[in-house]
């Protein structure tokens, strides 16, 4: 399945209509251009996918924001993951076993790898199931085939 198809399947409920992926990092964070020319940032570890720029000019401005770039590239966490898990093999990304919004730690034993498609699909499906829940709400995670 193409990556844009995975994004549409797992995150389409957010309103995104992906046209192309224009950037990614080692944790599967994606910068996505939609069919209307807006840019979305998908963050699997945060279970989020939202518009960050309405057009290319806004994206170019955002790309100069040091705080945004620091958050986007996750350098310290990538270095920790590389040290613990080794370099990524082709098609795989680092990930949090338990996403941050579900109480997962950003590092340590909560780090693993998945294929990018698996990461996009899993994070989108989990995010949809917990949308609208208040912080601290109790959930029960059920894994099915």
């Amino acid at each position: 399945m193409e990556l844009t198809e995975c994004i549409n399947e797992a995150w389409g409920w957010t309103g995104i209509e992906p046209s192309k992926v224009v950037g990614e990092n080692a944790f599967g964070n994606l910068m996505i251009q939609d069919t209307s020319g807006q840019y979305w940032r998908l963050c699997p570890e945060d279970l989020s996918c939202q518009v960050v720029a309405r057009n290319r000019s806004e994206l170019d401005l955002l790309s100069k924001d040091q705080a945004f770039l620091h958050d986007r590239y996750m350098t310290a966490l990538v270095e920790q993951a590389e040290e613990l898990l080794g370099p990524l093999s082709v098609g795989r990304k680092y990930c949090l076993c338990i996403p941050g919004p579900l109480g997962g730690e950003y590092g340590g034993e909560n780090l693993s790898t998945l294929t990018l498609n698996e990461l996009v699909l899993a994070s989108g499906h989990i995010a949809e199931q917990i949308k609208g829940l208040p912080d601290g709400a109790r959930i029960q995670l059920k894994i099915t085939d």
Side-chain angles (χ1 to χ4, degrees):
M1 180 182 300
E2 272 193 46
L3 184 53
T4 54
E5 292 176 81
C6 287
I7 296 164
N8 190 53
E9 180 181 321
W11 291 94
W13 58 271
T14 64
I16 190 172
E17 294 178 9
S19 172
K20 63 182 175 179
V21 174
V22 297
E24 63 184 69
N25 75 8
F27 269 84
N29 278 224
L30 303 176
M31 191 64 64
I32 306 155
Q33 184 180 27
D34 72 11
T35 56
S36 71
Q38 296 187 106
Y39 292 86
W40 296 64
R41 181 174 176 203
L42 190 156
C43 300
E45 74 282 353
D46 292 335
L47 301 177
S48 69
C49 183
Q50 55 196 356
V51 174
V52 293
R54 292 177 299 197
N55 54 47
R56 184 62 197 211
S57 296
E58 286 186 9
L59 182 63
D60 290 344
L61 281 174
L62 192 57
S63 296
K64 295 175 184 171
D65 180 319
Q66 292 303 308
F68 176 79
L69 292 173
H70 178 74
D71 185 53
R72 174 155 161 59
Y73 289 105
M74 307 166 66
T75 307
L77 193 56
V78 169
E79 289 172 358
Q80 183 183 60
E82 285 176 344
E83 185 177 312
L84 290 170
L85 304 170
L88 287 167
S89 57
V90 175
R92 296 189 75 82
K93 297 292 182 182
Y94 297 117
C95 65
L96 301 182
C97 298
I98 300 171
L102 300 183
E105 177 186 346
Y106 283 75
E109 293 182 7
N110 196 37
L111 296 174
S112 189
T113 67
L114 277 176
T115 68
L116 182 54
N117 284 2
E118 290 171 325
L119 183 56
V120 167
L121 290 168
S123 62
H125 293 310
I126 293 169
E128 184 176 20
Q129 292 177 55
I130 67 167
K131 73 178 182 246
L133 291 178
D135 286 348
R138 293 183 54 91
I139 64 163
Q140 183 176 15
L141 186 61
K142 292 183 180 179
I143 311 267
T144 60
D145 289 334

